[in-house]
């Protein structure tokens, strides 16, 4: 995006980015967890490079979607509604109030979970498995937040979303 890009174009662009990121996370989630994920799987990742790459992709996509939603799209949505933009936690609290995320505190816990998946990767197979299973359970919430925020972006940008253009999602 260039510096002359309008707010509406930026929202449309970011909504497209997070939709693609959500699709990629959903695909990777389905691949990693299709046959279940066990402690034995996680403990033997050094002997299973394909599985290790799938898990790496899942962790990266989980974190990337979270980062793009909270760090890029959410502030632009708040600006579009003439809401104050503050810290990530302040913004997430506003997103919760607007119905875009289920819980700001849960979102913060997901951020810590992402860090656990990255830092515990080599050290403790059980800790990594626990974190991966929690992240798998949280994918639905990330995808829901994606749907709600991209709908709000479409409405604010004057796109195909329906409604008054307030950015509110029922």
């Amino acid at each position: 995006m260039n510096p002359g890009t309008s707010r509406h174009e930026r929202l449309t662009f970011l909504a497209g980015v997070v939709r693609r990121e959500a699709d990629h996370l959903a695909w990777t989630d389905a691949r990693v967890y299709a046959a279940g994920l066990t402690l034995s799987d996680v403990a033997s990742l050094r002997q299973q490079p394909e599985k290790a790459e799938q898990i790496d992709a899942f962790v990266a996509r989980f974190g990337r979607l979270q980062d793009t939603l909270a760090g890029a799209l959410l502030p632009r949505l708040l600006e579009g509604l003439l809401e104050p933009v503050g810290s990530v936690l302040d913004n997430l609290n506003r997103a919760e109030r607007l119905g875009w995320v289920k819980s700001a505190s849960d979102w913060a816990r997901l951020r810590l979970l992402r860090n656990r998946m990255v830092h515990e990767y080599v050290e403790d197979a059980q800790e990594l498995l626990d974190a991966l299973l929690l992240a798998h359970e949280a994918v639905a919430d990330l995808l829901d937040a994606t749907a709600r925020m991209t709908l709000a972006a479409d409405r604010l940008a004057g796109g195909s979303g329906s409604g008054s253009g307030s950015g509110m999602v029922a």
Side-chain angles (χ1 to χ4, degrees), residues 1-16 72-85 152-159 165:
M1 305 266 19
N2 65 44
T5 303
S6 76
R7 179 178 293 164
H8 295 244
E9 290 170 322
R10 182 76 177 155
L11 277 173
T12 300
F13 171 78
L14 287 170
L73 183 58
L74 178 55
R76 301 301 75 81
L77 284 170
L78 294 172
E79 286 174 354
L81 293 175
L82 304 177
E83 290 271 345
V85 176
D154 290 344
R155 288 177 175 173
L156 284 170

Side-chain angles (χ1 to χ4, degrees), residues 17-159:
V17 167
V18 298
R19 282 185 182 106
R20 284 187 300 279
E21 289 177 356
D23 286 345
H24 292 163
L25 175 60
W27 298 332
T28 303
D29 180 68
R31 282 187 72 195
V32 169
Y33 298 96
L37 189 64
T38 67
L39 182 58
S40 175
D41 293 330
V42 173
S44 63
L45 286 176
R46 288 182 184 210
Q47 292 77 38
Q48 298 182 64
E50 287 183 22
K51 188 65 150 182
E53 287 177 353
Q54 289 175 359
I55 289 174
D56 283 344
F58 173 79
V59 171
R61 290 172 174 174
F62 184 89
R64 185 177 308 120
L65 179 57
Q66 225 185 1
D67 288 347
T68 307
L69 284 170
L73 183 58
L74 178 55
R76 301 301 75 81
L77 284 170
L78 294 172
E79 286 174 354
L81 293 175
L82 304 177
E83 290 271 345
V85 176
S87 70
V88 172
L89 187 56
D90 289 340
N91 293 346
L92 287 168
N93 283 323
R94 285 185 190 88
E96 181 180 349
R97 180 177 47 83
L98 292 165
W100 298 338
V101 299
K102 289 182 181 178
S103 165
S105 60
D106 285 351
W107 192 281
R109 281 192 286 279
L110 291 180
R111 184 68 182 168
L112 294 174
L113 178 62
R114 172 199 172 177
N115 293 340
R116 278 179 48 203
M117 289 187 289
V118 172
H119 296 297
E120 298 298 334
Y121 187 86
V122 177
E123 300 300 321
D124 183 342
Q126 183 64 57
E127 184 72 19
L128 175 59
L129 176 63
D130 293 345
L132 287 167
L133 293 175
L134 287 170
H136 171 60
E137 292 173 11
V139 166
D141 288 341
L142 284 177
L143 298 179
D144 182 62
T146 298
R148 290 172 179 274
M149 286 190 212
T150 56
L151 178 60
D154 290 344
R155 288 177 175 173
L156 284 170

